[in-house]
Amino acid sequence: MRKYHSSSRFYITDSVISVVMIIGFGFIGATATENIAAQISVVMVTTLISLWFVIRTRDRVIDVEFKEQFMVVNHIFKSTKARIQYEDIVALEFISVHRRPTINKIKFHFMGKIESIRFRTVAYGPEFIDFVKWLKSKNDNIKVSVHPPDDYMNHRLQEEYGFNYRKVPKID
């Protein structure tokens, strides 16, 4: 059996760059003034924003492994693992943004509410179609979508599951 897995470790790089930029702006702001109160407040705000980025990154960095019976979500910087049954998955989104890594977003039911996770795409091109087929064999009710709608992956999915173009209203 072929196993699928992915990760969201790219958030680490984004957060490190953001924190360095914030600290740089804070340093510039603190050295631009001679008022001690303003310098202290700039340092405090810079520290709070940097801590917020670190905490946010800690919660977002995960490894995802698709096993035969369930999906395992392992938080890298926390000692928590979650098992998500394929029956609980509601939607799978393929998100391709210019100059960013292509990511997948999965929405699922967890403890009575709908949660979502983002991670790098599991596969590209025909391998992603195979992954969608494999995932739909586990739960046929999963809604698969592609963002932006004009991405090539949307055409490939429609080739597999049928074309559904938007209807254009008639103009009299």
Side-chain angles (χ1 to χ4, degrees), residues 1 12-13 24 28 36 41 46 53-56 61 66 72 80 82 96 104 109 113-114 140 144 158 161 166:
M1 168 50 215
I12 296 171
T13 307
I28 291 169
I36 298 294
S41 59
T46 302
F53 269 102
V54 169
I55 291 169
R56 185 173 148 222
V61 176
F66 295 89
V72 177
T80 58
S96 177
N104 290 139
H109 293 286
K113 58 184 180 176
I114 294 184
D140 196 35
V144 179
Q158 287 185 9
Y161 292 105
R166 292 183 227 159

Side-chain angles (χ1 to χ4, degrees), residues 125 128-129 132-133 136 144-167:
F128 183 75
I129 303 296
V132 169
K133 287 180 186 177
K136 281 196 162 276
V144 179
S145 60
V146 177
H147 299 289
D150 62 345
D151 192 72
Y152 74 97
M153 191 57 69
N154 195 22
H155 182 72
R156 288 187 177 184
L157 280 170
Q158 287 185 9
E159 281 180 339
E160 189 66 36
Y161 292 105
F163 290 94
N164 57 354
Y165 292 108
R166 292 183 227 159
K167 299 198 181 216

Side-chain angles (χ1 to χ4, degrees), residues 6 27 29 34 51 56 60 71 104 114 126 132 138 172:
S6 186
F27 179 74
E34 293 184 20
L51 284 174
R56 185 173 148 222
R60 295 175 83 185
M71 179 174 79
N104 290 139
I114 294 184
V132 169
K138 305 292 182 190
D172 292 332

Side-chain angles (χ1 to χ4, degrees), residues 11-12 14-20 22-23 43-61 77:
Y11 283 125
I12 296 171
D14 291 350
S15 292
V16 167
I17 291 170
S18 299
V19 167
V20 168
I22 290 168
I23 290 172
V43 168
M44 287 176 51
V45 167
T46 302
T47 303
L48 289 175
I49 293 173
S50 298
L51 284 174
W52 178 74
F53 269 102
V54 169
I55 291 169
R56 185 173 148 222
T57 300
R58 182 176 178 245
D59 292 337
R60 295 175 83 185
V61 176
F77 297 120

